[in-house]
Amino acid sequence: MNEAVRNIDGATKLDAAIIGAGVAGLYQIYQLRNMGMKVRAFEAASDVGGTWYWNRYPGARFDSEAYIYQYLFSEDLYKGWSWSERFPGQPEIERWMHYVTDSLDLRKDIQFDARIVSAHYNEDTRRWIIRTEDGETIDAQFLITCCGMLSAPLSELFPGQSSFKGRIFHTARWPHEPIELEGKKVGVIGIGATGIQVIQTIASKVGELTVFVRTPQYVLPMKNPKFGEADVKAYKERFDELKNTLPHTFTGFEYDFMYKWADLTPARRRDVMEEIYQNGSLKLWLASFAEMFFDPEVSEEISEFVRDKMRARLKDPKLCDLLIPKDYGFGTHRVPLETNYLEVYHRPNVKAVSVKDNPIVEIVPEGLKLADGTVHELDMIVMATGFDAGSGALTRIDIRGRGGHTLKEDWGKDIRTAYGMQVHGYPNLFMTGAPLAPSAALCNMTTCLQQQTEWIADCIRYMRDKGVAVIEPTAEVEERWVRHHDETANANLISKTNSWYVGSNVPGKPRRVLSYTGGVGTYRQKCNEVAESGYEGFAMTA
Ligand code: NAP
């Protein structure tokens, strides 16, 4: 008898175990519970929220418009919450997630402070044996991971971190208690979407701020008006329109690509870019000219437009040299929205240090040491150093499928999924926000996660109706999806640029564009076709 079978006695028995109580997990509980299933979500945190629980660093906020970062399955739920501004901050978002949880009465089906450390598929019982860090065993027919695309922080990067005399925080593990910043010498490592939000927020509060810059970043200014009653009423009146539009656009946002580059004169293109830029959103990236992702010349022209905007604000040629990208195209990295971020570098208490050719080699008790031996003395280090995206949340759990194969080993060689939701060799494992689906990179997360959790619920409903106990994608259907994914992704300039989008931020991670780049609407259609075909290519056993 294998270890899993021996341990089934005393296990918590469920129809479905969900990992995570963030945007996806909450809705997945609700759907499966409504189907009469015995379901429980296991959440490592002490409360709901996922991303919006963990990322409580100074300045954390949406850069999708609040009124689209929404559940659209219930008009009452949508209309029962009023946002205070276009791009609200983390505290308001976290409150909204509590509102959703309590409105749907979800807490009774969530176990908090319960980190899942292993999940082994038992081929005898055809069920998952799942263990928490505290030693609880769960025996479930289905394992559904709602762990988030960006939830495995890269927080142990430098030798000597434990020797530092001050405090080190990874942004995704920011403490709940207030952190005294006044008068402190603070170093920020990283200028991705997170680092930028931190930097622009703390610069005026700290004594000295040193920003360690490796790869420059294109940025777009955010326009974030407060919402009065009339604004709230106006967006709520758009509920039906948003419900009908968001699932079908390229990125799950309310806007879509409107123009063809070749149809416009150079002057008109410039006017269009200017007009969209003034929108103060991600629209220039996600809904201007799709050609920027495929045609190097278009990419260069749009990149130059953004560089011009950045130059006009930075003024100082040295800062321009350090902070404006030259060797990759706009939009092939995740584009951050910012507020007076570039102007921060003009402050007398802020300095930018290039660590491109002179990298950080060590954390020492006094601060941070560079390759040339320079030590930057600091009281506090903020690691805005990102995540092992997509796969990391899952490979950090000991997930074993048929034949004892581990996801960590399998994905250590090649990150493969069928439609981003299942993996050959791992029966009855469903995933959301996982590699080879649009989630996170080019997607409004709530749009994508609603679609995936609904697809999963529909699939399980189908299985129950047909008396099917186990589903697993065949090797062929997985291979077909991986090939389609790669063909789509490799035509996209995203595949040529280093960033978490291709896994290049994690040494040794197999390179593949993590997110499906064929568009949110297309992805939905392809997933629907699978369901309509009776899950052709997915092996089902009674
Ligand atoms: P990220 O985009 O991966 O950025 C990490 C930063 O850390 C980069 O600047 C990277 O430099 C730097 N870095 C990493 N290791 C380093 C080292 N050893 N030395 C020097 N620099 C180092 O991570 P993120 O900023 O946390 O953003 C991740 C994603 O989260 C975003 O792309 C976005 O999808 C999401 N996000 C969303 C929001 C929002 O919606 N409001 C806000 C924040 C984040 P290199 O580029 O040179 O590697």
Side-chain angles (χ1 to χ4, degrees):
M1 190 186 284
N2 67 28
E3 194 202 349
V5 171
R6 246 199 336 266
N7 277 297
I8 291 176
D9 286 346
T12 307
K13 225 165 171 153
L14 297 172
D15 294 324
I18 295 170
I19 311 180
V23 168
L26 292 177
Y27 185 33
Q28 192 76 82
I29 302 170
Y30 180 71
Q31 292 175 75
L32 299 187
R33 196 173 73 184
N34 286 350
M35 286 161 56
M37 290 175 69
K38 194 167 179 215
V39 54
R40 189 183 295 173
F42 296 85
E43 169 55 65
S46 305
D47 215 322
V48 297
T51 288
W52 301 108
Y53 172 93
W54 294 107
N55 288 276
R56 48 183 66 248
Y57 58 83
R61 66 175 60 250
F62 273 157
D63 52 18
S64 299
E65 289 78 357
Y67 55 86
I68 66 153
Y69 195 99
Q70 290 282 303
Y71 294 103
L72 294 170
F73 66 89
S74 160
E75 188 166 351
D76 286 346
L77 190 70
Y78 185 89
K79 293 191 171 170
W81 182 264
S82 302
W83 293 102
S84 69
E85 54 188 341
R86 188 186 188 194
F87 299 108
Q90 179 271 342
E92 185 171 346
I93 304 165
E94 196 180 23
R95 285 199 296 279
W96 166 69
M97 297 217 68
H98 285 223
Y99 154 78
V100 170
T101 306
D102 295 331
S103 302
L104 303 177
D105 193 18
L106 298 176
R107 278 181 199 280
K108 63 183 182 202
D109 294 316
I110 305 170
Q111 194 165 318
F112 294 107
D113 300 307
R115 180 174 290 283
I116 299 299
V117 290
S118 70
H120 296 181
Y121 184 69
N122 183 317
E123 290 178 64
D124 300 332
T125 62
R126 302 188 302 162
R127 295 171 67 87
W128 284 92
I129 301 299
I130 302 150
R131 287 201 176 79
T132 68
E133 201 168 33
D134 290 343
E136 180 179 353
T137 303
I138 301 112
D139 172 2
Q141 182 185 4
F142 297 102
L143 172 63
I144 307 175
T145 65
C146 298
C147 306
M149 180 85 177
L150 294 155
S151 56
L154 298 173
S155 52
E156 297 297 325
L157 285 183
F158 307 103
Q161 279 184 214
S162 60
S163 74
F164 184 53
K165 282 192 294 201
R167 295 183 78 179
I168 304 186
F169 303 111
H170 188 281
T171 45
R173 290 293 177 271
W174 199 269
H176 284 236
E177 75 269 12
I179 298 299
E180 179 84 37
L181 296 166
E182 281 68 22
K184 295 273 187 329
K185 280 191 234 165
V186 179
V188 177
I189 308 171
I191 55 162
T194 303
I196 283 171
Q197 290 185 334
V198 174
I199 292 161
Q200 68 192 18
T201 306
I202 68 171
S204 62
K205 301 188 177 116
V206 302
E208 287 172 29
L209 177 63
T210 310
V211 180
F212 298 92
V213 177
R214 191 163 67 181
T215 306
Q217 182 82 265
Y218 294 98
V219 295
L220 293 176
M222 170 188 280
K223 279 193 182 151
N224 190 16
K226 297 281 176 215
F227 281 166
E229 264 177 47
D231 303 300
V232 170
K233 185 164 177 286
Y235 81 65
K236 286 185 181 175
E237 275 169 6
R238 294 180 62 206
F239 175 78
D240 285 332
E241 176 211 328
L242 293 171
K243 188 178 162 75
N244 292 329
T245 316
L246 300 180
H248 307 288
T249 61
F250 193 78
T251 56
F253 279 66
E254 66 188 304
Y255 33 66
D256 220 338
F257 296 107
M258 287 162 63
Y259 302 97
K260 276 205 159 25
W261 186 260
D263 290 351
L264 306 187
T265 62
R268 179 72 188 121
R269 289 171 194 156
R270 187 108 196 149
D271 288 349
V272 166
M273 284 191 267
E274 187 61 47
E275 190 186 306
I276 296 180
Y277 181 85
Q278 294 306 331
N279 187 260
S281 67
L282 291 174
K283 199 171 175 183
L284 187 70
W285 177 38
L286 302 177
S288 60
F289 297 98
E291 295 87 341
M292 84 169 84
F293 293 106
F294 308 104
D295 182 334
E297 281 178 28
V298 177
S299 166
E300 178 52 25
E301 277 200 48
I302 298 177
S303 301
E304 193 51 23
F305 172 85
V306 180
R307 287 185 203 120
D308 265 347
K309 295 287 186 192
M310 292 177 70
R311 274 185 213 115
R313 288 169 60 192
L314 278 170
K315 300 182 182 93
D316 177 349
K318 277 202 196 112
L319 282 177
C320 290
D321 201 42
L322 185 63
L323 295 169
I324 302 178
K326 298 184 234 346
D327 53 6
Y328 68 92
F330 171 76
T332 61
H333 264 188
R334 164 62 148 78
V335 176
L337 291 184
E338 48 76 37
T339 306
N340 298 325
Y341 160 70
L342 294 175
E343 289 70 16
V344 157
Y345 293 95
H346 299 147
R347 295 179 61 90
N349 68 331
V350 177
K351 73 171 178 253
V353 172
S354 174
V355 292
K356 189 170 172 47
D357 302 318
N358 185 20
I360 302 165
V361 287
E362 193 183 354
I363 306 289
V364 292
E366 314 74 57
L368 191 154
K369 191 171 178 182
L370 305 186
D372 69 357
T374 314
V375 172
H376 290 270
E377 290 192 10
L378 299 166
D379 303 316
M380 190 185 293
I381 297 174
V382 178
M383 294 181 67
T385 43
F387 302 87
D388 182 353
S391 56
L394 299 173
T395 55
R396 288 182 185 190
I397 301 170
D398 175 18
I399 297 179
R400 297 183 189 210
R402 282 190 295 104
H405 284 276
T406 75
L407 203 60
K408 185 174 176 176
E409 276 175 19
D410 286 352
W411 281 5
K413 295 180 210 125
D414 193 11
I415 299 173
R416 304 164 65 79
T417 67
Y419 295 83
M421 286 191 279
Q422 287 219 284
V423 184
H424 176 64
Y426 297 80
N428 282 1
L429 167 66
F430 289 103
M431 305 176 301
T432 63
L436 280 66
S439 330
L442 287 166
C443 172
N444 174 37
M445 280 308 277
T446 44
T447 310
C448 289
L449 295 176
Q450 281 175 95
Q451 179 265 335
Q452 289 196 315
T453 52
E454 285 169 2
W455 190 90
I456 291 166
D458 286 346
C459 179
I460 293 175
R461 189 180 295 111
Y462 177 92
M463 290 171 70
R464 286 159 73 93
D465 288 350
K466 301 273 179 201
V468 168
V470 180
I471 182 168
E472 181 189 337
T474 58
E476 292 73 37
V477 85
E478 184 177 278
E479 175 60 21
R480 214 191 309 150
W481 182 250
V482 171
R483 251 194 270 140
H484 167 66
H485 170 92
D486 282 352
E487 272 164 25
T488 315
N490 293 340
N492 195 309
L493 294 172
I494 285 175
S495 66
K496 316 282 186 286
T497 303
N498 284 339
S499 81
W500 68 260
Y501 275 12
V502 295
S504 63
N505 63 331
V506 178
K509 187 164 173 171
R511 190 179 178 105
R512 168 164 279 137
V513 174
L514 288 169
S515 286
Y516 177 65
T517 54
V520 170
T522 306
Y523 173 74
R524 164 181 289 266
Q525 199 184 319
K526 288 186 181 294
C527 293
N528 287 351
E529 283 164 13
V530 172
E532 281 154 17
S533 72
Y535 302 89
E536 191 244 307
F538 289 71
M540 294 206 181
T541 36

